[in-house]
Amino acid sequence: MSGEPEQQKHDPTAHEQMMDGEKQVKRNPHGNFKEVEGSRPKWNDGNFDFTQTKNPSWKPGQGANDGGEALKHEHVEIDPYQDGRPAVFNYKLLISAIIPRPVGFLSTRSKDGSSTNLAPYSFFQVFNFDPPVFVVGFSGGFEKAKDSLKNLVDSGECCINIISEHYIEAANATSVNAPYGTSEWALTGLTPAPCTDVKASRVKEAIFSVEGKLMETKELESKATPGKKTGVLAIIEGVRFWAREDAINEDRNLIDPDVLRPMSRLGGITYGRLREGIELPRPEWSEFEKEAQPAGLVQKKAEGQ
């Protein structure tokens, strides 16, 4: 995942640095993971279900729905640049706090076709709809660019695939520290399918994919270690969408979450599943005011708000 160091296969030295970085992060908290996994309940397919909100009768001014429990706890203030605080602490904190994160499964191809790469990035998000714009964060700077970033900049193209439950193991396996030149497609058994406007392949197993053209990049510099390049932000325009026929509605403007079954990233080595949803209409002021005004809740903004 981006920020979760993808292997650097083009340079043995870079590969060793990546492995050293993984040792620092200590992402896996378990000694014998398979033993721990074996002690857990088996996978439950189930269906995506809608439930009520926790408090369906919520009224203006009622605040949180936990009966004030959250207000009983104090907060700890954290300075990301505090002397002696390793940068990796900020990384581990952020990937465990900013959750769930969607995963952009990037397929890239160099301009001459000699290099292809398939890798998951959880520093990823849709940013705009007209034009359709996506952002992807890559760890490290251009000097130590990994294959996905190198290919993206070289060709100006990519395909973004959304990871679903039915191929999560294969998608995760693309982050293996295989030798340079090894095909993630062959290692994982995933199926490349042709795109229309870009030369990179899309993942045929994906429910939803986006053909993308690179708009611009921005290299980021460390504040803790001035001069050190720590990341690259890529802005990508979506130029064509692919949706599996059983997931899209007749108007081709809605994807069924029960078919998509998207996987998200949490902290450490944890993934999240989407099993339930709630629906909350956006309030209309004309209706909201009818309860808020008599209760004296319609007030001018004040200091400290």
Side-chain angles (χ1 to χ4, degrees), residues 131-284:
V133 175
F134 303 82
V135 290
V136 180
F138 297 87
S139 60
F142 286 121
E143 186 178 335
K144 297 179 181 178
K146 306 163 189 177
D147 289 351
S148 291
L149 178 57
K150 287 185 72 175
N151 291 345
L152 177 62
V153 172
D154 180 40
S155 68
E157 301 178 345
C158 69
C159 184
I160 303 168
N161 306 275
I162 300 303
I163 297 176
S164 296
E165 291 180 357
H166 63 276
Y167 70 98
I168 179 58
E169 297 89 350
N172 181 69
T174 62
S175 59
V176 66
N177 55 325
Y180 171 62
T182 304
S183 167
E184 292 87 3
W185 296 97
L187 281 179
T188 62
L190 290 172
T191 309
C195 288
T196 298
D197 297 318
V198 306
K199 292 180 179 177
S201 299
R202 59 188 171 88
V203 176
K204 193 170 184 180
E205 287 82 357
I207 305 295
F208 188 71
S209 300
V210 178
E211 295 185 28
K213 299 273 191 177
L214 182 63
M215 297 175 72
E216 60 180 287
T217 59
K218 180 176 178 59
E219 190 173 43
L220 305 174
E221 182 175 318
S222 168
K223 284 195 172 182
T225 311
K228 179 182 178 182
K229 306 302 181 183
T230 55
V232 174
L233 173 69
I235 303 175
I236 298 165
E237 178 187 0
V239 296
R240 190 170 296 272
F241 307 137
W242 293 83
R244 207 172 78 181
E245 58 184 3
D246 60 330
I248 192 79
N249 66 345
E250 188 176 342
D251 290 334
R252 298 187 175 183
N253 63 7
L254 284 176
I255 294 289
D256 184 348
D258 199 28
V259 179
L260 183 61
R261 302 268 180 133
M263 298 297 296
S264 62
R265 271 302 249 164
L266 310 181
I269 61 172
T270 308
Y271 287 88
R273 300 174 67 190
L274 184 63
R275 301 293 302 279
E276 292 182 342
I278 61 171
E279 292 186 316
L280 281 171
R282 182 175 294 186
E284 288 286 343

Side-chain angles (χ1 to χ4, degrees), residues 1 4 27 91 95-96 98-103 120-123 168 172 175 263-273:
M1 309 289 158
E4 303 169 31
R27 201 185 318 277
Y91 166 71
I95 67 167
S96 65
I98 312 302
I99 60 172
R101 298 188 306 284
V103 184
Y121 288 86
S122 71
F123 285 2
I168 179 58
N172 181 69
S175 59
M263 298 297 296
S264 62
R265 271 302 249 164
L266 310 181
I269 61 172
T270 308
Y271 287 88
R273 300 174 67 190

Side-chain angles (χ1 to χ4, degrees), residues 25-40 92 267-271:
V25 173
K26 297 178 181 177
R27 201 185 318 277
N28 182 359
H30 311 293
N32 184 334
F33 172 70
K34 280 298 178 184
E35 190 175 284
V36 172
E37 184 184 40
S39 69
R40 294 171 174 169
K92 294 182 74 171
I269 61 172
T270 308
Y271 287 88

